[in-house]
Amino acid sequence: MRRHHSMPFGAEPGADGTRFRLWAPDADAVEVAVHAGGQPRLLPMRRGADGWFECLTGAAGPGSRYAFRLAGGATVPDPASRCQPDDVHGLSEVVDSGAFDWQDRNWRGRPWEEAVIYELHVGTFTKAGTFSGVTERLDYLQDLGVTAIELMPVAEFPGRRGWGYDGALLFAPESGYGRPADLKRLIQEAHRRGIMVLLDVVYNHFGPDGNYLGSYAQRFFTDRHRTPWGNSNNFDGDGSQVVRQFFIENALYWLEEYHFDGLRLDAVHAIYDDSPKHFLVELAETVHARFPDRHIHLILENDHNQPELLGRDERGRPKLYTAQWNDDFHHVLHLLLTGETSGYYNDYAENPMRWLARCLEGGFAYQGEASPYRGGRPRGGASGHLPPAAFVGFLQNHDQVGNRALGERIGQIAPPEALRAAMALMLLAPFPPMLFMGEERRAHAPFLYFCEFASEELVQAVRRGRREEFAGFPEFASAEARAAIPDPNAAATFEASVLEWPPVDGEPHHGWRDFIHDLIYLRRRHVAPYLAKVGKAQVTLPGGRRIQAAWPLPDGTALVLHGNLGSDPVDAIAPPPGRLIFGTHGAPDALPAWCIAWYVAGKGAAA
């Protein structure tokens, strides 16, 4: 089976030759420079309406290297390059996207209620640091119980070391990870094992190196809106129709040509759009209309906590977006486990159990309350009407580990018994859970912030910015302490973040991996079958750090949580009548420190 997404720009090979198309409204003339050994062959492109340039030629085909040459002599890569073998400043390559023979014709994805997500960074997940390296570990992930892997961004970024959020060429898989066919093979092999593959995409900005759009299409960006990375992408001004189309085509491209099962959109609160129909709405509507017969999952990272983007129709299906990473859930659990109250954790420092109860009851903790961390501004909206499936729960992700100065994982800063309780809470609660690579075996390797920029000026700026970011923390108050923060551009920083893979039989954290495996099995058996129709939780806080919660299930029973998320034991409790699913301390008649017990209670629960 062949899969090809036809795009209105870039290089499209066909029976009559290859069509090149570029939006360059600020260019007086554009040529295609086709490289086939020796001097490049320069082919003029015909100027069309609205700043488009086009050329159809038989001088280029699959495998040909090319670039666009602007009036004045500047040569730039194709912003819609499907393959960029020599990094962001090199030549683009014409790709025959139909050459890969897909064998997963009948794959339609999996229902979201079955999701157990495993976030990974291709470059550090294995020592190989490639798509093929991930493919070799799929059996391990399948055995663990993972049903979806989420790849951190793979769009071509500068250098060979990076998180991927500085992508410059959004249609080209990172060449350091392998060829386009290697990524397709990874996805196909995941599907063969029943594993969905989700992709992290970045539509709020481009990286600082390798993006040439501003040199010939200034209207791609606007100074009417400012992001943390500079001028905003232009979603609502003159020329914005082309910009919106560029990103929507990118989403369709990954979903169709690569057969991804969904996308996670990075930091959508930094996508600014004053149009009557917001870009995020247009994107989601277009995706759902294009793939009506597949389980396509669109997931948000959104600091604004906007419940309207997560609404359901009368059949309970997402109208726009399937779910959102629930930072509130992470932040309050992290505070309870570690006692840390700096930065955004301070928003949950006053009565953290109340904030946790809000998350269990209605998804977001902040549903319009003033956020001290954000200068007292209101944050979020009422989300209690949304199902638990709309909120992804996690104890770690790339940000929450990598944005720490030393990249420590939660297992290095929280007591083991506390972490065990929190993991039991997360993996059996009726929210789609997400693990960060290595979390299932308490990996020691940090996950640091790393990059590889060639410009010394940019290297110095990133190093300085990284260290100044932590100047307000007491432990990094001195210049000497800040100097010890790993240099993002150093190869050693990247190398320290690569996961170790000892043989399973000799793995020092094999017991923890079995613990996670068993919880995922229990989730699949006792929780996942009911998630499509689970009711709103009723949560009570009996005092201290005790918590009780019950989610009504459609068969008349309820999923019940009894827990103690503190270091002070509780002498006596009245456990619910019913069947114990899991207990960190068995079936307790008291609640020791850091104790979690899950039950199915109610009529028929003893079956």
Side-chain angles (χ1 to χ4, degrees):
M1 182 179 184
R2 315 293 177 176
R3 290 193 173 100
H4 169 75
H5 178 67
S6 181
M7 295 190 295
F9 37 69
E12 292 276 319
D16 299 329
T18 299
R19 185 221 68 196
F20 295 96
R21 201 159 187 256
L22 177 72
W23 188 55
D26 300 318
D28 294 327
V30 181
E31 297 171 303
V32 178
V34 177
H35 291 250
Q39 293 296 313
R41 182 176 178 182
L42 297 176
L43 306 172
M45 299 183 73
R46 179 179 58 84
R47 178 189 285 274
D50 301 321
W52 287 98
F53 288 81
E54 187 169 342
C55 172
L56 177 65
T57 177
S64 297
R65 302 289 183 89
Y66 69 99
F68 294 119
R69 183 182 176 94
L70 309 177
T75 300
V76 299
D78 184 354
S81 168
R82 278 181 162 92
C83 184
Q84 200 68 17
D86 299 315
D87 209 11
V88 295
H89 302 293
L91 297 173
S92 304
E93 180 180 322
V94 178
V95 172
D96 177 8
S97 57
F100 188 84
D101 186 12
W102 289 89
Q103 302 296 315
D104 61 350
R105 177 187 302 271
N106 296 323
W107 176 261
R108 293 293 182 267
R110 298 183 66 151
W112 183 242
E113 290 75 22
E114 298 176 2
V116 176
I117 309 163
Y118 190 95
E119 187 196 18
L120 65 88
H121 176 265
V122 172
T124 57
F125 182 58
T126 66
K127 287 188 179 298
T130 60
F131 297 128
S132 297
V134 178
T135 304
E136 292 174 2
R137 294 292 173 182
L138 288 175
D139 286 341
Y140 168 87
L141 295 175
Q142 180 187 30
D143 181 69
L144 181 65
V146 167
T147 61
I149 59 174
E150 181 175 322
L151 304 182
M152 287 173 62
V154 303
E156 189 73 39
F157 54 80
R160 291 295 182 264
R161 306 186 300 268
W163 279 17
Y165 297 92
D166 284 331
L169 299 170
L170 304 191
F171 293 80
E174 166 58 36
S175 54
Y177 296 162
R179 299 279 301 174
D182 295 324
L183 175 56
K184 293 175 182 179
R185 193 170 297 109
L186 163 60
I187 296 167
Q188 176 170 272
E189 287 301 309
H191 291 169
R192 191 166 69 84
R193 292 163 174 81
I195 299 173
M196 299 182 285
V197 188
L198 312 173
L199 178 65
D200 204 339
V201 294
V202 183
Y203 295 158
N204 50 52
H205 78 292
F206 289 86
D209 187 24
N211 171 29
Y212 291 89
L213 281 162
S215 64
Y216 54 84
Q218 296 178 30
R219 282 179 284 169
F220 208 98
F221 308 99
T222 176
D223 59 5
R224 294 190 316 280
H225 306 295
R226 293 284 294 177
T227 75
W229 310 279
N231 286 347
S232 170
N233 294 330
N234 176 23
F235 290 107
D236 59 5
D238 181 35
S240 62
Q241 182 178 358
V242 175
V243 178
R244 295 166 77 100
Q245 182 184 34
F246 180 88
F247 290 107
I248 288 174
E249 291 291 343
N250 184 259
L252 297 175
Y253 163 79
W254 292 119
L255 295 169
E256 182 172 14
E257 195 160 305
Y258 281 83
H259 214 203
F260 277 100
D261 299 284
L263 306 173
R264 179 263 190 188
L265 278 68
D266 178 67
V268 300
H269 50 270
I271 294 177
Y272 298 101
D273 183 4
D274 293 331
S275 303
K277 177 178 284 190
H278 195 283
F279 165 75
L280 291 173
V281 175
E282 183 182 358
L283 184 150
E285 289 179 346
T286 304
V287 165
H288 292 312
R290 181 67 66 92
F291 307 108
D293 60 342
R294 286 173 57 190
H295 293 289
I296 296 291
H297 309 300
L298 299 178
I299 304 142
L300 299 174
E301 180 195 21
N302 187 3
D303 190 63
H304 291 333
N305 283 4
Q306 295 170 276
E308 61 271 19
L309 294 174
L310 302 171
R312 267 51 181 172
D313 64 17
E314 64 280 357
R315 296 175 59 185
R317 299 172 303 185
K319 296 178 182 177
L320 298 172
Y321 290 87
T322 310
Q324 178 177 318
W325 279 15
N326 194 353
D327 282 340
D328 284 350
F329 179 78
H330 167 271
H331 295 348
V332 69
L333 270 180
H334 184 96
L335 185 154
L336 289 167
L337 267 60
T338 67
E340 294 183 350
T341 58
S342 58
Y344 41 65
Y345 296 124
N346 188 56
D347 272 2
Y348 311 86
E350 184 177 349
N351 198 351
M353 293 302 295
R354 178 175 64 87
W355 292 115
L356 177 61
R358 173 70 75 87
C359 290
L360 298 180
E361 285 176 336
F364 296 136
Y366 275 82
Q367 300 184 23
E369 291 82 3
S371 162
Y373 176 70
R374 295 161 184 80
R377 295 192 303 274
R379 176 173 177 241
S383 59
H385 61 289
L386 295 172
F391 305 95
V392 177
F394 52 91
L395 295 178
Q396 298 186 86
N397 63 28
H398 72 273
D399 273 331
Q400 304 307 333
V401 179
N403 285 338
R404 298 179 69 86
L406 303 179
E408 310 101 314
R409 294 169 175 266
I410 189 69
Q412 297 170 275
I413 54 179
E417 63 275 15
L419 185 57
R420 182 179 175 87
M423 189 63 72
L425 171 59
M426 182 192 79
L427 283 176
L428 292 179
F431 308 103
M434 183 174 72
L435 299 167
F436 181 58
M437 61 177 195
E439 185 175 5
E440 78 285 358
R441 50 194 175 94
R442 293 185 66 187
H444 283 311
F447 188 71
L448 297 159
Y449 175 67
F450 49 81
C451 55
E452 187 183 15
F453 293 123
S455 161
E456 185 59 28
E457 180 181 359
L458 190 52
V459 168
Q460 295 288 349
V462 171
R463 182 186 299 129
R464 183 172 58 253
R466 177 70 173 170
R467 291 172 178 172
E468 289 176 353
E469 179 182 351
F470 296 97
F473 291 76
E475 61 268 40
F476 297 106
S478 70
E480 292 79 8
R482 292 195 297 277
I485 296 174
D487 178 1
N489 214 67
T493 303
F494 166 82
E495 291 163 359
S497 302
V498 177
L499 285 180
E500 293 285 345
W501 283 94
V504 171
D505 289 342
E507 191 173 341
H509 295 270
H510 189 55
W512 184 257
R513 183 257 177 207
D514 286 348
F515 171 61
I516 302 301
H517 170 276
D518 293 347
L519 285 174
I520 293 175
Y521 169 79
L522 292 171
R523 177 183 186 84
R524 182 168 65 246
R525 180 179 177 185
H526 296 291
V527 180
Y530 302 104
L531 288 184
K533 296 182 179 179
V534 66
K536 180 180 173 64
Q538 300 296 316
V539 182
T540 57
L541 298 172
R545 287 194 172 185
R546 281 189 64 189
I547 191 164
Q548 297 175 347
W551 288 266
L553 301 178
D555 63 355
T557 63
L559 180 66
V560 177
L561 164 70
H562 274 211
N564 176 17
L565 294 173
S567 55
D568 295 325
V570 177
D571 292 335
I573 63 167
R579 175 166 42 94
L580 178 74
I581 296 176
F582 173 83
T584 53
H585 297 74
D589 54 10
L591 287 176
W594 301 108
C595 175
I596 289 290
W598 285 98
Y599 302 83
V600 173
K603 185 178 180 180

